[in-house]
Amino acid sequence: MESETTYREGLETLAEHYTEVLRLLGENPDREGLQKTPLRVAKAMQVLTRGYGQDPHKVLTDALFEEPYNQMVIVRDIDFFSMCEHHLLPFYGKAHVAYIPKGTITGLSKIARVVDIYSHRLQVQERLTQQIKDCIESTLHPMGVMVVIEARHMCMQMRGVEKQNSVTTTSAFSGAFNQAKTREEFMNLISRRVEP
């Protein structure tokens, strides 16, 4: 909730810059509808980039458990929103994450938190995919990790080529997922619809 959000240093300065942006766009930042807009936008941008102040490795290590399970663990359909670093427009979609434990597991919600932290930074989808994989790999030391992200980019939908129905898919994998059979199993599992 916004009332519980703690904003970072520099909020007022950021708002001042947005006031100037409004002027440069040809608007009057003093008119009634825009008077509070610079501060609202500054707050929104701090929320949308809150991942810079969070440590995804610590999120995983706060919930580590020894467990002899050595089969695929998949957390799929993780909703995320991020900001394209090229145009500062949103991209959003779903992340699917799998790992094969090697004696250590983490809380399932922690996987979603890792996605959340990295997506709340200025991003490109390719880097986001790789960062999630690398974080899980370097923290849990599993037999393998695979991440697939499917996203829609407002920078392609609202401007440029203006293709509203295009979806971009990226993947990153390591270890056991270097085997085509393991990757295929993962892809088959995430493509199945689960009834609630």
Side-chain angles (χ1 to χ4, degrees), residues 114-132:
V114 168
V115 173
D116 187 61
I117 289 170
Y118 282 119
S119 65
H120 280 82
R121 299 176 181 185
L122 299 183
Q123 280 289 9
V124 294
Q125 184 174 332
E126 296 87 344
R127 184 191 315 123
L128 175 61
T129 308
Q130 190 71 36
Q131 286 177 330
I132 295 165

Side-chain angles (χ1 to χ4, degrees), residues 38-58:
L39 184 58
R40 284 192 293 256
V41 176
K43 287 179 176 180
M45 288 303 290
Q46 283 204 354
V47 169
L48 294 171
T49 60
R50 68 179 180 254
Y52 288 118
Q54 299 172 325
D55 182 351
H57 297 278
K58 185 176 185 313

Side-chain angles (χ1 to χ4, degrees), residues 62-135:
D62 282 349
L64 287 183
F65 308 99
E66 288 185 23
E67 188 64 46
Y69 186 80
N70 63 0
Q71 301 299 312
M72 204 178 297
V73 176
I74 301 173
V75 182
R76 64 178 229 189
D77 295 331
I78 303 168
D79 292 315
F80 77 91
F81 296 87
S82 193
M83 294 288 282
C84 162
E85 68 182 36
H86 298 149
H87 302 99
L88 295 187
L89 289 171
F91 68 95
Y92 61 95
K94 293 188 182 295
H96 315 286
V97 181
Y99 74 101
I100 300 174
K102 188 165 60 178
T104 304
I105 62 170
T106 189
L108 296 175
S109 68
K110 306 307 179 186
I111 300 294
R113 290 278 296 124
V114 168
V115 173
D116 187 61
I117 289 170
Y118 282 119
S119 65
H120 280 82
R121 299 176 181 185
L122 299 183
Q123 280 289 9
V124 294
Q125 184 174 332
E126 296 87 344
R127 184 191 315 123
L128 175 61
T129 308
Q130 190 71 36
Q131 286 177 330
I132 295 165
K133 181 203 71 81
D134 290 348
C135 178

